[in-house]
Amino acid sequence: MSVDWLELEKKARAWIYEAAGLVKQSLANPIHIETKSNANDLVTEVDRAIESFFYQKIQAEFPTHYFFGEEGIAEELDSLTGTVWIIDPIDGTMNFIHQKYNFAISVGIYHEGLGMVGLIYDVMNDELFHAVRDHGAYINNEALVPVKERPLHESIIGLNAKWLIEEGNPYKNPLMALVRDVRSIRSYGSAAIEIAYVAADRLDGYISVNLSPWDYAAGIVLLDEVGCKASTFRGDPLDFLTASPVIVGKPQLHKEMVSSYVGEEL
Protein backbone atom coordinates (compact mmCIF):
# COMPACT_ATOMS: atom_id res chain seq x y z
CA MET A 1 0.00 0.00 0.00
CA SER A 2 1.49 3.32 -1.09
CA VAL A 3 1.75 6.23 1.32
CA ASP A 4 0.51 9.72 0.52
CA TRP A 5 3.42 11.62 2.03
CA LEU A 6 1.78 15.01 1.55
CA GLU A 7 -1.21 13.87 3.59
CA LEU A 8 1.07 12.37 6.22
CA GLU A 9 2.93 15.68 6.42
CA LYS A 10 -0.35 17.49 7.05
CA LYS A 11 -1.17 15.10 9.88
CA ALA A 12 2.27 15.53 11.44
CA ARG A 13 2.00 19.30 11.06
CA ALA A 14 -1.32 19.35 12.94
CA TRP A 15 0.21 17.31 15.76
CA ILE A 16 3.19 19.66 15.95
CA TYR A 17 0.94 22.69 16.40
CA GLU A 18 -1.05 20.83 19.06
CA ALA A 19 2.14 19.82 20.87
CA ALA A 20 3.46 23.38 20.67
CA GLY A 21 0.32 24.59 22.41
CA LEU A 22 1.03 22.17 25.26
CA VAL A 23 4.63 23.40 25.46
CA LYS A 24 3.53 27.02 25.68
CA GLN A 25 1.05 26.18 28.42
CA SER A 26 3.83 24.52 30.40
CA LEU A 27 5.85 27.75 30.44
CA ALA A 28 3.37 29.25 32.91
CA ASN A 29 4.36 26.66 35.54
CA PRO A 30 7.61 25.75 37.32
CA ILE A 31 9.66 23.31 35.23
CA HIS A 32 11.14 20.21 36.85
CA ILE A 33 14.69 19.75 35.54
CA GLU A 34 16.84 16.61 35.57
CA THR A 35 20.26 15.79 34.13
CA LYS A 36 21.18 12.88 31.88
CA SER A 37 24.75 12.13 30.76
CA ASN A 38 26.27 15.22 32.45
CA ALA A 39 25.32 18.37 34.35
CA ASN A 40 24.62 20.26 31.13
CA ASP A 41 22.63 17.49 29.44
CA LEU A 42 19.19 18.52 30.62
CA VAL A 43 15.72 17.04 30.38
CA THR A 44 12.37 18.18 31.72
CA GLU A 45 8.99 16.58 32.28
CA VAL A 46 7.85 18.63 29.28
CA ASP A 47 10.34 16.85 26.96
CA ARG A 48 8.98 13.51 28.11
CA ALA A 49 5.34 14.58 27.93
CA ILE A 50 5.67 15.88 24.36
CA GLU A 51 7.50 12.75 23.21
CA SER A 52 4.75 10.65 24.79
CA PHE A 53 2.14 12.81 23.05
CA PHE A 54 3.63 12.00 19.63
CA TYR A 55 4.14 8.33 20.46
CA GLN A 56 0.52 7.90 21.47
CA LYS A 57 -0.77 9.73 18.38
CA ILE A 58 1.38 7.62 16.04
CA GLN A 59 0.51 4.35 17.78
CA ALA A 60 -3.21 5.12 17.56
CA GLU A 61 -3.28 6.24 13.92
CA PHE A 62 -0.32 4.37 12.37
CA PRO A 63 0.18 1.21 14.44
CA THR A 64 2.57 -0.33 11.90
CA HIS A 65 4.94 2.67 12.03
CA TYR A 66 8.01 2.73 14.27
CA PHE A 67 9.11 5.43 16.68
CA PHE A 68 12.62 6.68 17.55
CA GLY A 69 12.84 9.55 20.03
CA GLU A 70 15.33 11.23 22.33
CA GLU A 71 13.68 10.46 25.64
CA GLY A 72 13.31 6.70 25.20
CA ILE A 73 9.52 6.46 25.30
CA ALA A 74 9.64 3.60 22.78
CA GLU A 75 12.01 0.65 22.45
CA GLU A 76 15.31 1.30 20.70
CA LEU A 77 15.51 0.43 17.01
CA ASP A 78 18.27 -1.51 15.29
CA SER A 79 17.19 -0.68 11.74
CA LEU A 80 15.18 1.82 9.72
CA THR A 81 13.06 -0.84 8.05
CA GLY A 82 9.51 0.30 7.36
CA THR A 83 8.25 3.78 8.26
CA VAL A 84 10.05 5.38 11.19
CA TRP A 85 9.23 8.65 12.96
CA ILE A 86 12.42 10.23 14.38
CA ILE A 87 11.44 12.86 16.91
CA ASP A 88 13.05 15.38 19.21
CA PRO A 89 10.23 16.76 21.37
CA ILE A 90 12.20 19.83 22.44
CA ASP A 91 15.45 20.47 20.61
CA GLY A 92 17.26 23.12 22.63
CA THR A 93 16.15 22.08 26.11
CA MET A 94 18.69 24.39 27.75
CA ASN A 95 17.22 27.32 25.82
CA PHE A 96 13.72 26.17 26.80
CA ILE A 97 14.73 26.23 30.46
CA HIS A 98 16.88 29.38 30.52
CA GLN A 99 15.39 31.58 27.80
CA LYS A 100 11.95 30.13 27.11
CA TYR A 101 12.98 30.83 23.49
CA ASN A 102 15.08 29.35 20.66
CA PHE A 103 13.83 25.76 20.89
CA ALA A 104 12.08 23.57 18.36
CA ILE A 105 9.96 20.47 17.87
CA SER A 106 11.65 18.28 15.26
CA VAL A 107 9.89 15.48 13.36
CA GLY A 108 11.48 13.43 10.60
CA ILE A 109 9.60 10.60 8.88
CA TYR A 110 11.74 7.99 7.12
CA HIS A 111 10.70 5.10 4.90
CA GLU A 112 13.13 2.24 4.32
CA GLY A 113 15.94 4.55 5.43
CA LEU A 114 14.99 7.43 3.13
CA GLY A 115 13.87 10.79 4.50
CA MET A 116 10.37 11.52 3.25
CA VAL A 117 9.03 14.25 5.56
CA GLY A 118 10.88 16.82 7.63
CA LEU A 119 9.32 19.36 9.99
CA ILE A 120 11.11 21.73 12.37
CA TYR A 121 8.88 24.09 14.33
CA ASP A 122 10.49 27.06 16.08
CA VAL A 123 7.78 27.27 18.72
CA MET A 124 8.18 30.80 20.04
CA ASN A 125 8.88 32.37 16.64
CA ASP A 126 5.96 30.47 15.07
CA GLU A 127 8.12 29.36 12.14
CA LEU A 128 7.50 25.94 10.67
CA PHE A 129 10.22 24.71 8.32
CA HIS A 130 8.70 21.83 6.38
CA ALA A 131 9.47 19.59 3.42
CA VAL A 132 8.23 16.49 1.66
CA ARG A 133 10.69 14.61 -0.52
CA ASP A 134 10.66 15.88 -4.12
CA HIS A 135 8.06 18.55 -3.28
CA GLY A 136 10.33 21.39 -2.13
CA ALA A 137 10.97 23.02 1.24
CA TYR A 138 8.98 25.79 2.88
CA ILE A 139 8.69 28.17 5.82
CA ASN A 140 5.05 28.57 6.84
CA ASN A 141 3.99 27.52 3.31
CA GLU A 142 6.34 29.99 1.57
CA ALA A 143 8.73 28.17 -0.72
CA LEU A 144 12.45 28.20 0.00
CA VAL A 145 14.55 28.82 -3.08
CA PRO A 146 17.76 26.90 -3.82
CA VAL A 147 20.50 28.35 -1.64
CA LYS A 148 23.13 30.79 -2.90
CA GLU A 149 26.77 29.83 -2.57
CA ARG A 150 29.20 32.19 -0.84
CA PRO A 151 32.96 31.77 -0.64
CA LEU A 152 34.22 30.47 2.67
CA HIS A 153 35.64 33.83 3.76
CA GLU A 154 32.18 35.40 3.36
CA SER A 155 30.30 32.57 5.06
CA ILE A 156 28.61 32.46 8.45
CA ILE A 157 28.47 29.06 10.12
CA GLY A 158 26.70 27.72 13.18
CA LEU A 159 29.16 26.37 15.72
CA ASN A 160 29.23 25.93 19.50
CA ALA A 161 32.30 27.89 20.61
CA LYS A 162 32.78 25.75 23.74
CA TRP A 163 34.26 23.04 21.55
CA LEU A 164 37.16 25.37 20.77
CA ILE A 165 38.33 25.39 24.40
CA GLU A 166 37.71 21.76 25.35
CA GLU A 167 40.91 19.94 26.23
CA GLY A 168 41.36 16.67 24.40
CA ASN A 169 38.96 17.58 21.62
CA PRO A 170 40.53 16.03 18.48
CA TYR A 171 38.73 18.56 16.28
CA LYS A 172 39.91 21.62 18.21
CA ASN A 173 42.67 22.76 15.86
CA PRO A 174 40.79 22.31 12.56
CA LEU A 175 37.72 24.02 14.00
CA MET A 176 39.84 26.95 15.22
CA ALA A 177 41.36 27.26 11.76
CA LEU A 178 37.91 27.23 10.19
CA VAL A 179 36.63 29.88 12.60
CA ARG A 180 39.58 32.11 11.71
CA ASP A 181 38.85 31.77 7.99
CA VAL A 182 35.06 32.24 7.83
CA ARG A 183 33.36 35.61 8.13
CA SER A 184 31.70 34.81 11.46
CA ILE A 185 30.11 32.13 13.62
CA ARG A 186 26.74 31.90 15.38
CA SER A 187 25.36 29.61 18.07
CA TYR A 188 21.60 29.40 18.58
CA GLY A 189 21.63 26.40 20.92
CA SER A 190 19.33 24.23 18.80
CA ALA A 191 20.79 21.96 16.14
CA ALA A 192 17.42 21.60 14.43
CA ILE A 193 16.96 25.35 14.12
CA GLU A 194 20.52 25.87 12.90
CA ILE A 195 20.19 23.17 10.24
CA ALA A 196 16.88 24.71 9.18
CA TYR A 197 18.64 28.07 8.95
CA VAL A 198 21.14 26.59 6.48
CA ALA A 199 18.25 25.35 4.35
CA ALA A 200 16.65 28.81 4.57
CA ASP A 201 19.93 30.59 3.61
CA ARG A 202 20.21 32.28 7.03
CA LEU A 203 23.42 30.37 7.70
CA ASP A 204 25.88 28.99 5.18
CA GLY A 205 26.92 25.98 7.24
CA TYR A 206 26.58 24.23 10.56
CA ILE A 207 28.96 21.95 12.47
CA SER A 208 28.50 19.75 15.52
CA VAL A 209 31.09 17.45 17.05
CA ASN A 210 28.35 15.14 18.31
CA LEU A 211 24.70 14.95 17.27
CA SER A 212 22.06 12.27 17.65
CA PRO A 213 19.72 11.26 14.80
CA TRP A 214 16.71 13.08 16.27
CA ASP A 215 18.77 16.30 16.14
CA TYR A 216 19.24 16.16 12.38
CA ALA A 217 16.76 13.71 10.84
CA ALA A 218 14.12 16.31 9.99
CA GLY A 219 16.71 18.83 8.85
CA ILE A 220 18.24 16.45 6.32
CA VAL A 221 14.94 16.32 4.43
CA LEU A 222 14.91 20.13 4.26
CA LEU A 223 18.52 20.27 3.12
CA ASP A 224 17.97 17.74 0.34
CA GLU A 225 15.14 19.83 -1.10
CA VAL A 226 17.28 22.99 -1.43
CA GLY A 227 20.45 21.34 -2.63
CA CYS A 228 22.53 21.44 0.57
CA LYS A 229 24.79 18.69 1.87
CA ALA A 230 25.17 16.91 5.20
CA SER A 231 27.69 14.27 6.23
CA THR A 232 30.09 13.07 8.90
CA PHE A 233 33.39 14.92 9.21
CA ARG A 234 34.87 12.34 6.83
CA GLY A 235 32.24 13.19 4.25
CA ASP A 236 30.43 9.86 4.73
CA PRO A 237 26.62 9.56 4.82
CA LEU A 238 25.05 10.05 8.22
CA ASP A 239 23.81 7.08 10.26
CA PHE A 240 20.26 7.65 11.52
CA LEU A 241 20.59 5.16 14.38
CA THR A 242 23.73 6.39 16.16
CA ALA A 243 25.32 9.69 17.21
CA SER A 244 27.96 11.23 14.96
CA PRO A 245 29.91 14.39 14.17
CA VAL A 246 27.84 16.33 11.63
CA ILE A 247 28.82 18.94 9.07
CA VAL A 248 26.18 20.74 7.01
CA GLY A 249 26.53 23.33 4.29
CA LYS A 250 25.91 24.57 0.82
CA PRO A 251 27.53 22.17 -1.65
CA GLN A 252 30.82 23.95 -2.35
CA LEU A 253 31.24 25.18 1.21
CA HIS A 254 30.52 21.71 2.58
CA LYS A 255 33.12 20.21 0.25
CA GLU A 256 35.72 22.80 1.27
CA MET A 257 35.07 22.45 5.02
CA VAL A 258 35.45 18.67 4.79
CA SER A 259 38.44 18.55 2.46
CA SER A 260 40.45 21.49 3.85
CA TYR A 261 39.58 21.43 7.54
CA VAL A 262 37.85 18.72 9.56
CA GLY A 263 38.21 15.84 7.09
CA GLU A 264 41.95 16.11 6.63
CA GLU A 265 42.60 15.90 10.36
CA LEU A 266 41.02 12.47 10.78
Side-chain angles (χ1 to χ4, degrees):
M1 180 177 175
S2 63
V3 178
D4 186 332
W5 298 106
L6 291 171
E7 285 300 313
L8 192 58
E9 189 262 358
K10 289 180 183 178
K11 178 72 68 174
R13 191 192 304 202
W15 290 345
I16 281 178
Y17 286 134
E18 187 176 349
L22 298 175
V23 173
K24 289 179 179 178
Q25 290 175 20
S26 75
L27 292 173
N29 303 312
I31 299 171
H32 177 67
I33 305 165
E34 298 177 19
T35 60
K36 294 191 286 188
S37 62
N38 61 66
N40 295 318
D41 186 8
L42 307 178
V43 64
T44 73
E45 76 275 18
V46 184
D47 295 79
R48 295 192 176 105
I50 297 303
E51 182 160 309
S52 181
F53 166 88
F54 279 106
Y55 179 69
Q56 291 171 13
K57 292 285 190 183
I58 294 162
Q59 285 289 292
E61 190 131 357
F62 306 107
T64 62
H65 291 190
Y66 297 95
F67 185 96
F68 188 31
E70 179 173 12
E71 308 309 335
I73 297 296
E75 294 182 6
E76 290 189 13
L77 299 180
D78 57 12
S79 79
L80 291 182
T81 301
T83 301
V84 181
W85 296 61
I86 306 177
I87 292 179
D88 194 336
I90 298 180
D91 185 73
T93 298
M94 189 177 294
N95 289 348
F96 172 68
I97 293 167
H98 284 265
Q99 302 176 336
K100 297 180 171 56
Y101 209 79
N102 285 332
F103 60 89
I105 298 171
S106 179
V107 176
I109 307 176
Y110 280 63
H111 185 69
E112 305 299 346
L114 195 62
M116 303 304 297
V117 176
L119 305 108
I120 296 170
Y121 185 48
D122 183 338
V123 174
M124 304 310 288
N125 279 319
D126 189 28
E127 284 193 320
L128 179 65
F129 302 81
H130 54 105
V132 176
R133 187 175 184 83
D134 297 328
H135 287 83
Y138 302 80
I139 303 178
N140 294 343
N141 297 318
E142 292 190 14
L144 295 175
V145 298
V147 295
K148 297 175 293 186
E149 290 276 6
R150 296 183 183 87
L152 186 137
H153 70 275
E154 293 181 2
S155 295
I156 298 175
I157 62 170
L159 175 69
N160 184 342
K162 286 195 73 172
W163 293 324
L164 305 182
I165 60 172
E166 285 183 349
E167 294 300 326
N169 179 357
Y171 311 112
K172 180 177 178 178
N173 288 336
L175 288 177
M176 289 179 66
L178 179 61
V179 167
R180 284 193 296 267
D181 291 347
V182 297
R183 173 162 280 172
S184 190
I185 63 169
R186 297 288 185 269
S187 181
Y188 295 93
S190 165
I193 289 176
E194 292 180 76
I195 293 172
Y197 278 9
V198 176
D201 205 21
R202 297 177 184 177
L203 288 172
D204 299 291
Y206 170 74
I207 295 176
S208 175
V209 169
N210 187 47
L211 280 187
S212 295
W214 45 79
D215 296 313
Y216 56 79
I220 299 304
V221 183
L222 291 163
L223 295 171
D224 286 345
E225 291 302 300
V226 296
C228 290
K229 301 294 183 183
S231 72
T232 68
F233 282 9
R234 294 182 183 274
D236 297 327
L238 293 168
D239 182 342
F240 292 94
L241 292 173
T242 59
S244 170
V246 173
I247 184 164
V248 168
K250 299 168 183 179
Q252 287 302 121
L253 178 66
H254 176 270
K255 181 179 179 180
E256 186 172 359
M257 289 191 297
V258 170
S259 63
S260 299
Y261 295 91
V262 295
E264 69 176 9
E265 295 294 328
L266 300 176

